[in-house]
Amino acid sequence: MNRPHARNALGNVFVSELLEALAQLWNDKQVRVLLFRSGVKGVFCAGADLKEREQMNEAEVGVCVQRLRGLMNEIASSAVMGLIETTRGLLPGAGGTQRLPRCLGVALAKELIFTGRRLNGMQAQALGLVNHAVAQNEEGNAAYHRARELAQEILPQAPIAVRLGKVAIDRGMEVDIASGMAIEGICYAQNIPTRDRLEGMAAFREKRPPRFVGE
């Protein structure tokens, strides 16, 4: 993301470009891991573009917020994050009131949203809001390098199994446990006929690294 004059704030054009890029990547089977990176030093994303929002009517705001819902677990320890909408006379509208309680629990989510409190990277990690917090480097891209390391851990694994695992987790978290188990079962069944599953079993039996091909 590289919108320096607005600190990568999410405006209509910016979001449209992001969605277009994601749509192109979605069908590219060569893409295994996607990293969102800021091209603006010291900033990842300032949130919604409130200057643009101020010029919108109610219907336009609704459409904009809905699109934002359709669109960060890796941050540097010097980063600051938070749902600060209540300090601007707003409430989180792009999914924050629903995602944060699922991450941290209702009581803590209410505290953070009601106060508009900002957290640094270490605090966010301690709460379980992000997976990792890393010491910032002089270039300001420590989180990017840690994300690349994580991507390198994911890349050798079976592509279809990883993709279906992501589907099972994401969709399962939106429903009750019984429905989630059913979703897992559907995903598991889709993975059974793959060449990669057979390769994984053969590699285990032959005590060698697997050679997954994404089929």
Side-chain angles (χ1 to χ4, degrees), residues 1-9 14 17-18 37-41 44:
M1 298 186 292
N2 192 22
R3 195 186 178 204
H5 68 281
R7 297 171 60 83
N8 286 342
F14 195 38
E17 292 173 346
L18 280 174
R37 181 186 184 187
S38 172
V40 183
K41 189 173 182 179
F44 180 72

Short mmCIF file of all heavy atoms in Angstrom, two decimals, residues 1-9 14 17-18 37-41 44:
data_model
loop_
_atom_site.label_atom_id
_atom_site.label_comp_id
_atom_site.label_asym_id
_atom_site.label_seq_id
_atom_site.Cartn_x
_atom_site.Cartn_y
_atom_site.Cartn_z
N MET A 1 0.85 -1.17 0.00
CA MET A 1 0.00 0.00 0.00
C MET A 1 0.90 1.23 0.00
O MET A 1 1.84 1.30 0.79
CB MET A 1 -0.92 0.00 1.22
CG MET A 1 -1.87 -1.20 1.25
SD MET A 1 -3.06 -1.10 2.60
CE MET A 1 -1.97 -1.32 4.01
N ASN A 2 0.59 2.18 -0.87
CA ASN A 2 1.47 3.33 -1.00
C ASN A 2 0.67 4.60 -1.30
O ASN A 2 0.58 5.06 -2.43
CB ASN A 2 2.51 3.07 -2.09
CG ASN A 2 3.62 4.09 -2.07
OD1 ASN A 2 3.86 4.74 -1.06
ND2 ASN A 2 4.31 4.24 -3.18
N ARG A 3 0.06 5.13 -0.28
CA ARG A 3 -0.70 6.38 -0.38
C ARG A 3 -0.18 7.34 0.69
O ARG A 3 -0.86 7.61 1.68
CB ARG A 3 -2.18 6.08 -0.19
CG ARG A 3 -3.11 7.21 -0.63
CD ARG A 3 -4.55 6.92 -0.29
NE ARG A 3 -5.40 8.03 -0.68
CZ ARG A 3 -6.58 8.28 -0.12
NH1 ARG A 3 -7.06 7.50 0.84
NH2 ARG A 3 -7.30 9.31 -0.53
N PRO A 4 1.05 7.83 0.52
CA PRO A 4 1.73 8.56 1.60
C PRO A 4 1.01 9.81 2.07
O PRO A 4 1.01 10.11 3.28
CB PRO A 4 3.10 8.90 0.99
CG PRO A 4 2.93 8.75 -0.48
CD PRO A 4 1.90 7.69 -0.67
N HIS A 5 0.39 10.56 1.16
CA HIS A 5 -0.24 11.82 1.56
C HIS A 5 -1.41 11.60 2.51
O HIS A 5 -1.78 12.49 3.28
CB HIS A 5 -0.70 12.61 0.33
CG HIS A 5 -1.83 11.96 -0.41
ND1 HIS A 5 -1.64 10.91 -1.27
CD2 HIS A 5 -3.17 12.23 -0.41
CE1 HIS A 5 -2.81 10.54 -1.78
NE2 HIS A 5 -3.74 11.33 -1.28
N ALA A 6 -2.00 10.39 2.48
CA ALA A 6 -3.14 10.09 3.35
C ALA A 6 -2.81 9.00 4.36
O ALA A 6 -3.71 8.44 4.98
CB ALA A 6 -4.34 9.67 2.50
N ARG A 7 -1.51 8.69 4.52
CA ARG A 7 -1.07 7.66 5.47
C ARG A 7 -1.80 6.33 5.23
O ARG A 7 -2.20 5.64 6.13
CB ARG A 7 -1.29 8.14 6.91
CG ARG A 7 -0.46 9.36 7.27
CD ARG A 7 -0.84 9.96 8.62
NE ARG A 7 -0.69 9.02 9.72
CZ ARG A 7 0.47 8.79 10.34
NH1 ARG A 7 1.57 9.43 9.96
NH2 ARG A 7 0.53 7.93 11.34
N ASN A 8 -1.98 6.00 3.95
CA ASN A 8 -2.65 4.76 3.53
C ASN A 8 -4.08 4.65 4.03
O ASN A 8 -4.60 3.54 4.23
CB ASN A 8 -1.85 3.53 3.98
CG ASN A 8 -0.59 3.32 3.16
OD1 ASN A 8 -0.46 3.86 2.06
ND2 ASN A 8 0.34 2.55 3.68
N ALA A 9 -4.73 5.78 4.25
CA ALA A 9 -6.15 5.73 4.64
C ALA A 9 -6.96 5.08 3.53
O ALA A 9 -6.68 5.24 2.34
CB ALA A 9 -6.66 7.15 4.91
N PHE A 14 -8.77 3.84 -3.43
CA PHE A 14 -7.75 2.96 -2.85
C PHE A 14 -8.31 1.56 -2.62
O PHE A 14 -7.69 0.55 -2.97
CB PHE A 14 -7.26 3.58 -1.55
CG PHE A 14 -5.98 2.99 -1.03
CD1 PHE A 14 -4.95 2.63 -1.88
CD2 PHE A 14 -5.78 2.83 0.34
CE1 PHE A 14 -3.76 2.11 -1.40
CE2 PHE A 14 -4.60 2.31 0.83
CZ PHE A 14 -3.58 1.95 -0.04
N GLU A 17 -8.84 -0.30 -5.90
CA GLU A 17 -7.58 -0.82 -6.44
C GLU A 17 -7.14 -2.08 -5.69
O GLU A 17 -6.65 -3.03 -6.29
CB GLU A 17 -6.50 0.25 -6.36
CG GLU A 17 -6.74 1.42 -7.32
CD GLU A 17 -5.76 2.56 -7.13
OE1 GLU A 17 -5.05 2.56 -6.09
OE2 GLU A 17 -5.69 3.44 -7.99
N LEU A 18 -7.32 -2.08 -4.37
CA LEU A 18 -6.99 -3.26 -3.58
C LEU A 18 -7.84 -4.45 -3.97
O LEU A 18 -7.34 -5.57 -4.16
CB LEU A 18 -7.17 -2.97 -2.08
CG LEU A 18 -6.05 -2.21 -1.37
CD1 LEU A 18 -6.47 -1.88 0.06
CD2 LEU A 18 -4.77 -3.03 -1.35
N ARG A 37 1.86 -5.12 2.48
CA ARG A 37 2.98 -4.33 2.96
C ARG A 37 2.75 -2.85 2.70
O ARG A 37 2.22 -2.48 1.65
CB ARG A 37 4.27 -4.78 2.26
CG ARG A 37 5.51 -4.04 2.71
CD ARG A 37 6.71 -4.45 1.87
NE ARG A 37 7.92 -3.82 2.35
CZ ARG A 37 9.10 -3.89 1.73
NH1 ARG A 37 9.19 -4.59 0.59
NH2 ARG A 37 10.16 -3.30 2.22
N SER A 38 3.15 -2.02 3.62
CA SER A 38 3.04 -0.58 3.43
C SER A 38 4.30 -0.04 2.77
O SER A 38 5.41 -0.39 3.17
CB SER A 38 2.82 0.13 4.77
OG SER A 38 2.90 1.53 4.61
N GLY A 39 4.10 0.82 1.77
CA GLY A 39 5.23 1.51 1.17
C GLY A 39 5.49 2.85 1.83
O GLY A 39 6.38 3.59 1.40
N VAL A 40 4.75 3.16 2.88
CA VAL A 40 4.91 4.42 3.61
C VAL A 40 5.60 4.12 4.93
O VAL A 40 5.05 3.43 5.79
CB VAL A 40 3.54 5.08 3.87
CG1 VAL A 40 3.74 6.42 4.58
CG2 VAL A 40 2.77 5.27 2.57
N LYS A 41 6.82 4.62 5.09
CA LYS A 41 7.60 4.32 6.29
C LYS A 41 6.89 4.82 7.54
O LYS A 41 6.43 5.95 7.61
CB LYS A 41 8.98 4.96 6.18
CG LYS A 41 9.94 4.52 7.29
CD LYS A 41 11.35 5.05 7.06
CE LYS A 41 12.29 4.56 8.14
NZ LYS A 41 13.68 5.04 7.93
N PHE A 44 1.26 1.71 8.59
CA PHE A 44 0.67 0.60 7.85
C PHE A 44 -0.62 1.08 7.21
O PHE A 44 -0.75 1.11 6.00
CB PHE A 44 0.39 -0.60 8.77
CG PHE A 44 -0.22 -1.75 8.02
CD1 PHE A 44 0.53 -2.50 7.14
CD2 PHE A 44 -1.56 -2.08 8.20
CE1 PHE A 44 -0.02 -3.56 6.43
CE2 PHE A 44 -2.13 -3.12 7.50
CZ PHE A 44 -1.36 -3.87 6.62
#
